[in-house]
Amino acid sequence: MNIIKLNYTDKETAIADLIAKGVYVEVENIDKEIVLSYGKGIHAIVEIGKIVLENGTYDADFKELTAPVYADGYAYDVMSDTVIDFGANEIFPKNSKHGFAGCEPIKEIKDDINTTR
Amino acid sequence: MSLLDKASLIVTPNAYKASKLYSVIPSSGTGDMTVVRATTATRVNSAGLIESVAVNVPRIDYTNESCPSLLLEVQRTNLNSTSNLSGWGSLPTTIRTYNTTDLLSPDGTNNATKIQSTLITEDVSNVITVANGAVTFSFYGRVLSGTKTIQVDVRNNSGTIVTLSPTLTTQWQRFTITNLNSGTGSSGAVWFYPNSIGNIYIYGAQMEQGAYATSLIPTVASTVTRNADAISKTGISSLIGQTEGVLFIESAALANDFTSRIISISDGTLNNRIIINYSTSSNTIQLNVFSGGTAITLINYVVSDTTQFAKIAVRYSNTLGYSLWVNGVNRGSSVSTTIPASMSRLGFDNGSGGTFFVSKIKQVNLYKIALSNTEMATLTTL
């Protein structure tokens, strides 16, 4: 299973690229509306949106005093059966703000090798 | 011959393993359903405890019942990155104890959070990033003795606050607060007000984008997504009547949320299929049939509450037409005798893998013959 972290300039650009790559497909639903559905082999598309780098400050009623600081761009996570080349839109954050349940990041294993096998 | 003997396929929330939900009939394996959910998820087990379920394992869920259901949910993300409230703000005199040993949490371990209040004006609160649309906050709460009424406020990105004042007892209860307002901001917020001096216990705080709460998605340090439950079986044309038959389900919707949720027999496309749909109209069960891409039959039936279990069956026949039965009564018929071609797939979805049948399911049956009116009534009577 491939978990791909993506960042685009904005939401519209992201959706256009996801459609172009077959991650999203446009289908007509039962009510004859065109809606976005997952493409073949796509298990999940998660709209992360703007990533908060620094939290805002708020008063006791959570009225915003200073706005949060956001990273540039608009983020998505995709879970796919296959490898998809997203070019420069694929990112590799060290401290991910989002994960999939039970899908831990791959860790380097050095000391737990079973030498008897 | 009994209705049981006449069935070509019976699936119940029973035996399973990773990627498979075994059919009761046939027992050969040809009717075993394929289960896909590429993340873990949680369920309530037979002991009443929340437990994690591995990737691709169907969820046999015992929430509020001794007879289990197959739980099918949509993809959801817990936007609250610490379900034990760590990292949340609070007034200085409020003390939070994580993993308290005072009691067992709903998962049977010591991982609930104790909030000790020494002033009645205190709160524990946090800002949570949300998008436009409805949000739902949920949590489990209790006290050690007596009862205690607290206040929980949930603000969405419109700035509108919805308040709940639940009474905590000595039993764990799950409380949900939905804020349906829409706005243009990017942050929501949650406040717990204990409202009196003393201790309360909180477990599994969850904020979701959506109009109802789904099963717990535990978080520790980041937001976490649980994928949708996708269950289907292809290559079973021998189990699906091609000129006549019955599709029967006993199910309950998870919410009356005005979305389509579909179970289907199809050729694997959207062009040829017979579907039962919890439709976008309020509390409406729909029979819809497509042949060659054209809608040929549509029957709607409004029930009092789709979140209550109902027995629903579609009878189709190239001589009798279509009829929709709900809870023992024929609720509508169509004289169309066109049957979708080459039906070979049963899907808890729209026929090709989307618009999942988000619901709790007790049983799904297929018949390759058009049952009589008496048999349909017997089959669908609660």
Side-chain angles (χ1 to χ4, degrees):
Chain A
M1 193 62 64
N2 299 282
I3 294 174
I4 309 156
K5 295 186 171 294
L6 302 168
N7 194 39
Y8 293 88
T9 53
D10 53 46
K11 181 174 180 175
E12 292 70 27
T13 306
I15 290 175
D17 192 52
L18 294 173
I19 292 173
K21 290 184 167 58
V23 177
Y24 269 136
V25 292
E26 294 178 296
V27 297
E28 184 178 284
N29 70 11
I30 198 83
D31 298 313
K32 298 194 176 300
E33 302 161 332
I34 301 298
V35 296
L36 293 176
S37 184
Y38 292 175
K40 188 174 175 60
I42 302 298
H43 290 263
I45 303 169
V46 181
E47 181 182 348
I48 310 294
K50 294 181 177 180
I51 301 290
V52 177
L53 294 178
E54 290 181 30
N55 291 324
T57 59
Y58 307 87
D59 65 13
D61 295 322
F62 280 128
K63 187 175 179 183
E64 188 176 280
L65 301 175
T66 60
V69 176
Y70 295 104
D72 290 338
Y74 202 88
Y76 277 81
D77 279 3
V78 171
M79 182 185 273
S80 169
D81 278 340
T82 58
V83 175
I84 303 170
D85 183 5
F86 287 95
N89 293 116
E90 185 170 4
I91 58 173
F92 303 91
K94 289 181 179 175
N95 296 306
S96 179
K97 303 287 187 182
H98 170 261
F100 289 93
C103 302
E104 298 295 327
I106 297 171
K107 295 172 182 167
E108 187 178 4
I109 299 171
K110 290 181 178 175
D111 301 323
D112 297 336
I113 298 171
N114 184 346
T115 56
T116 61
R117 293 185 64 188
Chain B
M1 184 182 277
S2 70
L3 284 171
L4 186 70
D5 295 326
K6 289 181 176 179
S8 58
L9 176 78
I10 296 178
V11 175
T12 62
N14 194 350
Y16 63 90
K17 66 175 184 179
S19 302
K20 192 166 284 191
L21 177 64
Y22 291 107
S23 63
V24 178
I25 293 175
S27 58
S28 63
T30 55
D32 297 344
M33 305 293 291
T34 302
V35 179
V36 178
R37 189 195 58 250
T39 64
T40 59
T42 60
R43 68 155 181 166
V44 174
N45 65 19
S46 58
L49 299 174
I50 296 172
E51 70 174 13
S52 181
V53 174
V55 167
N56 292 335
V57 172
R59 286 186 286 169
I60 310 300
D61 187 77
Y62 290 78
T63 300
N64 300 326
E65 55 192 358
S66 57
C67 183
S69 302
L70 177 65
L71 177 61
L72 303 178
E73 291 187 306
V74 289
Q75 175 186 313
R76 281 285 180 88
T77 299
N78 186 353
L79 300 168
N80 172 33
S81 58
T82 53
S83 45
N84 70 349
L85 310 184
S86 64
W88 283 42
S90 64
L91 293 180
T93 53
T94 300
I95 300 169
R96 269 171 291 171
T97 305
Y98 305 112
N99 303 319
T100 177
T101 57
D102 290 358
L103 43 65
L104 296 175
S105 70
D107 68 6
T109 67
N110 293 126
N111 61 357
T113 297
K114 176 165 68 174
I115 299 174
Q116 300 168 265
S117 299
T118 55
L119 295 171
I120 62 170
T121 56
E122 293 173 327
D123 68 67
V124 175
S125 53
N126 198 26
V127 170
I128 299 172
T129 301
V130 298
N132 198 14
V135 296
T136 297
F137 182 74
S138 58
F139 67 98
Y140 293 81
R142 64 165 287 185
V143 291
L144 266 188
S145 61
T147 62
K148 185 166 179 158
T149 299
I150 67 171
Q151 179 179 325
V152 184
D153 290 352
V154 175
R155 186 188 74 189
N156 74 348
N157 70 339
S158 72
T160 307
I161 292 174
V162 174
T163 295
L164 182 74
S165 298
T167 297
L168 309 188
T169 70
T170 56
Q171 300 297 314
W172 284 111
Q173 298 174 81
R174 194 182 198 197
F175 301 99
T176 67
I177 309 143
T178 296
N179 191 330
L180 293 168
N181 298 287
S182 293
T184 56
S186 60
S187 66
V190 179
W191 294 261
F192 280 98
Y193 296 99
N195 274 345
S196 61
I197 295 168
N199 302 334
I200 62 172
Y201 296 85
I202 302 296
Y203 170 85
Q206 179 159 304
M207 179 75 103
E208 301 171 73
Q209 202 80 53
Y212 64 96
T214 64
S215 61
L216 177 63
I217 307 166
T219 58
V220 175
S222 67
T223 62
V224 173
T225 295
R226 177 204 61 238
N227 285 9
D229 301 277
I231 300 181
S232 63
K233 181 66 179 179
T234 58
I236 55 168
S237 57
S238 63
L239 302 178
I240 300 173
Q242 300 299 317
T243 57
E244 64 178 31
V246 173
L247 166 62
F248 165 74
I249 57 171
E250 182 179 2
S251 64
L254 299 184
N256 180 33
D257 67 342
F258 309 100
T259 62
S260 277
R261 291 140 291 172
I262 295 174
I263 185 168
S264 62
I265 48 177
S266 72
D267 67 349
T269 75
L270 301 179
N271 293 328
N272 294 293
R273 52 184 174 145
I274 297 172
I275 69 172
I276 297 171
N277 178 18
Y278 289 123
S279 84
T280 54
S281 299
S282 181
N283 286 317
T284 300
I285 295 169
Q286 186 178 80
L287 161 64
N288 215 322
V289 183
F290 293 82
S291 179
T294 302
I296 57 171
T297 292
L298 174 63
I299 298 172
N300 288 305
Y301 176 66
V302 178
V303 296
S304 59
D305 184 359
T306 50
T307 66
Q308 298 298 308
F309 276 98
K311 291 185 174 180
I312 308 163
V314 175
R315 181 178 64 195
Y316 57 95
S317 162
N318 62 359
T319 57
L320 299 172
Y322 293 86
S323 57
L324 172 66
W325 293 68
V326 180
N327 294 342
V329 179
N330 182 358
R331 308 296 184 175
S333 299
S334 162
V335 295
S336 173
T337 54
T338 301
I339 306 299
S342 305
M343 293 188 291
S344 60
R345 180 183 186 276
L346 169 64
F348 297 177
D349 56 34
N350 62 5
S352 72
T355 318
F356 297 115
F357 193 60
V358 178
S359 63
K360 296 182 288 186
I361 298 173
K362 297 283 193 191
Q363 54 179 327
V364 177
N365 298 3
L366 293 178
Y367 298 85
K368 295 177 67 176
I369 55 173
L371 300 176
S372 69
N373 286 348
T374 302
E375 289 172 320
M376 291 296 285
T378 300
L379 182 67
T380 59
T381 296
L382 285 170

